[in-house]
Amino acid sequence: MNTSSKFVVAVHILTLLSSQKILLGEKSLMKSDFIARGLNTNPVVIRRLLSLLKAKKLVDSKAGPSGGFYFKYDPSTVTLAMIHDIVEPGNLYHMYYSSPNKECPFGSHIHGYLKTLLCSAEASFKNVLAEKSLLDLVNDVLNKVEHKENLTKEEFASELKKNMKAISSKCSQK
Amino acid sequence: MNTSSKFVVAVHILTLLSSQKILLGEKSLMKSDFIARGLNTNPVVIRRLLSLLKAKKLVDSKAGPSGGFYFKYDPSTVTLAMIHDIVEPGNLYHMYYSSPNKECPFGSHIHGYLKTLLCSAEASFKNVLAEKSLLDLVNDVLNKVEHKENLTKEEFASELKKNMKAISSKCSQK
DNA sequence: ATAACTGTAACTAAATTAGTTACAAATAAA
DNA sequence: TTTATTTGTAACTAATTTAGTTACAGTTAT
């Protein structure tokens, strides 16, 4: 198993930033401290990942008090496949298994066919990710909240805003 | 990227054992030394992987001089998906990203939808692997050899046998 | 001016992997 | 029956990757 959590964390972050843009407006910013709290991890880990996403032009940031990060695009146009390609480039499995010896008249031919098959399987994996946009994920959550907690989008937006402020003040308490 | 080569190496080994069964007969055995040569690696690495495949009943072995390994089943009934499940159990990506904090009214709901999607993408990956059997891989190689090197199956079988003996004698020279 | 952010370098610790040495147990062959 | 060959496995090393952490320079709203 791939032990990296970069992909799931990046999706989590970008879904948060998308929801913030939709619920709280274009100009709203989210701090790395707040995001890190929600993932039980360290703000530096979040900033490191956001630094990569910024280099790829998906997000932008503002330093200083009341600074933070925001998502640059329309959440409906960014798919999980794009995010995967950014944070986990290359193949799911590498094919550099001790470059097969040409001495073996049979074994030396396996590599090529196996590589072709793996590429095709990985393409299939990514096709599923390509069918899901950040907006889809945001809507999944919003629908759940509206139905299960009987909150309107507006009520939920103000709850989110309140929570962001509460967490921010907790962080600065330290 | 997953840096493990267990899957590709296991497929390589089992394709070799399958070809040996088809070309050289049921009783034919292949040594870990010979397999390791073809992969430019260490016999212990090969035996370790074969030990797992033996525990899963895919192969069996015989100790002592002229001992070795053999594939127990019909190569047409074992798919690459089965092999993957054995040597890389679990998910392609783990979902234990710092179990999301319930404090965050939005973030706490993302996890479930992301997990569902990843499972579906992984299922799609494995479906492609499930369409390829060990026999398919053996036939890919045999067809290539017959066309490009103009060898009949019988000629190729004797070449393979010769090669196995040559490598074996090289190994015992040390 | 100050306080609150981002941005990033440097270090630690843990986990995983492949490779290696060594040797016990099994077994065919001399 | 002895010997040589092979599997089976434990123990260790080295390399790589990952997340977490501390520290601090640069930026900017208040």
Side-chain angles (χ1 to χ4, degrees):
Chain A
M1 191 183 339
N2 190 339
T3 60
S4 165
S5 61
K6 268 186 277 185
F7 176 59
V8 285
V9 170
V11 171
H12 190 105
I13 294 173
L14 290 173
T15 308
L16 271 183
L17 292 182
S18 296
S19 75
Q20 172 219 37
K21 184 172 192 170
I22 292 168
L23 295 173
L24 307 179
E26 292 274 343
K27 302 285 176 186
S28 184
L29 297 171
M30 192 174 279
K31 303 183 208 310
S32 61
D33 246 326
F34 173 80
I35 299 170
R37 282 283 174 123
L39 287 165
N40 292 319
T41 184
N42 196 292
V44 177
V45 173
I46 301 298
R47 289 205 292 272
R48 228 161 13 202
L49 206 38
L50 277 165
S51 176
L52 172 60
L53 297 171
K54 184 178 176 180
K56 297 291 179 175
K57 315 285 183 191
L58 279 191
V59 304
D60 213 339
S61 62
K62 210 168 144 187
S66 74
F69 296 86
Y70 64 97
F71 183 65
K72 286 178 74 176
Y73 297 109
D74 179 345
S76 71
T77 64
V78 174
T79 69
L80 299 210
M82 297 176 191
I83 301 168
H84 188 272
D85 286 343
I86 289 174
V87 298
E88 297 281 359
N91 296 318
L92 257 42
Y93 288 103
H94 69 68
M95 285 296 300
Y96 311 110
Y97 64 103
S98 320
S99 54
N101 201 325
K102 295 200 174 176
E103 280 185 61
C104 181
F106 191 94
S108 58
H109 296 106
I110 299 174
H111 187 271
Y113 295 104
L114 186 45
K115 185 174 187 175
T116 301
L117 185 73
L118 260 183
C119 285
S120 147
E122 292 185 10
S124 182
F125 175 86
K126 287 191 184 171
N127 281 341
V128 175
L129 298 189
E131 282 163 16
K132 196 89 173 180
S133 72
L134 287 173
L135 180 62
D136 292 335
L137 261 181
V138 171
N139 283 333
D140 283 344
V141 175
L142 288 184
N143 287 333
K144 184 179 180 186
V145 170
E146 284 180 32
H147 283 92
K148 296 218 170 165
E149 304 183 11
N150 277 318
L151 289 176
T152 65
K153 205 165 144 181
E154 289 72 26
E155 289 167 333
F156 184 64
S158 80
E159 193 189 322
L160 184 61
K161 205 167 186 172
K162 208 173 63 184
N163 188 266
M164 281 173 63
K165 283 185 184 166
I167 299 281
S168 287
S169 65
K170 266 192 200 175
C171 291
S172 48
Q173 268 171 29
K174 293 190 304 186
Chain B
M1 191 183 337
N2 191 337
T3 58
S4 165
S5 61
K6 268 186 276 186
F7 175 59
V8 285
V9 171
V11 171
H12 190 106
I13 294 173
L14 290 174
T15 307
L16 271 182
L17 292 181
S18 296
S19 74
Q20 171 220 38
K21 184 172 191 170
I22 292 167
L23 295 172
L24 306 178
E26 293 275 342
K27 304 285 177 187
S28 184
L29 297 170
M30 193 175 278
K31 303 184 208 312
S32 60
D33 246 327
F34 174 79
I35 299 170
R37 283 283 175 125
L39 287 166
N40 292 318
T41 184
N42 196 294
V44 177
V45 173
I46 301 298
R47 289 205 292 274
R48 230 163 11 203
L49 205 39
L50 277 165
S51 176
L52 171 59
L53 296 171
K54 183 178 177 179
K56 298 292 179 176
K57 314 286 183 191
L58 280 191
V59 304
D60 214 340
S61 62
K62 213 169 145 186
S66 74
F69 296 87
Y70 64 97
F71 183 65
K72 285 179 74 176
Y73 297 108
D74 180 345
S76 71
T77 66
V78 174
T79 70
L80 299 211
M82 298 176 191
I83 300 168
H84 188 273
D85 285 343
I86 289 174
V87 297
E88 297 281 359
N91 295 317
L92 256 43
Y93 288 102
H94 67 67
M95 285 297 298
Y96 312 110
Y97 65 104
S98 319
S99 55
N101 201 326
K102 294 199 175 175
E103 279 185 65
C104 181
F106 191 94
S108 59
H109 296 107
I110 299 174
H111 187 270
Y113 295 104
L114 187 45
K115 186 173 186 174
T116 301
L117 184 73
L118 260 182
C119 285
S120 148
E122 292 185 13
S124 182
F125 175 87
K126 286 191 186 172
N127 280 343
V128 174
L129 298 188
E131 281 162 17
K132 195 90 174 181
S133 72
L134 286 172
L135 181 61
D136 292 334
L137 261 181
V138 170
N139 283 334
D140 283 342
V141 175
L142 289 184
N143 286 333
K144 182 178 181 185
V145 170
E146 283 180 32
H147 284 91
K148 295 218 170 165
E149 304 184 11
N150 278 318
L151 288 175
T152 66
K153 205 165 145 181
E154 290 71 25
E155 288 167 335
F156 184 64
S158 81
E159 193 189 323
L160 184 62
K161 206 166 185 171
K162 208 172 66 185
N163 188 267
M164 283 172 63
K165 282 186 183 165
I167 299 281
S168 288
S169 66
K170 267 192 199 175
C171 290
S172 47
Q173 270 172 27
K174 292 190 306 186

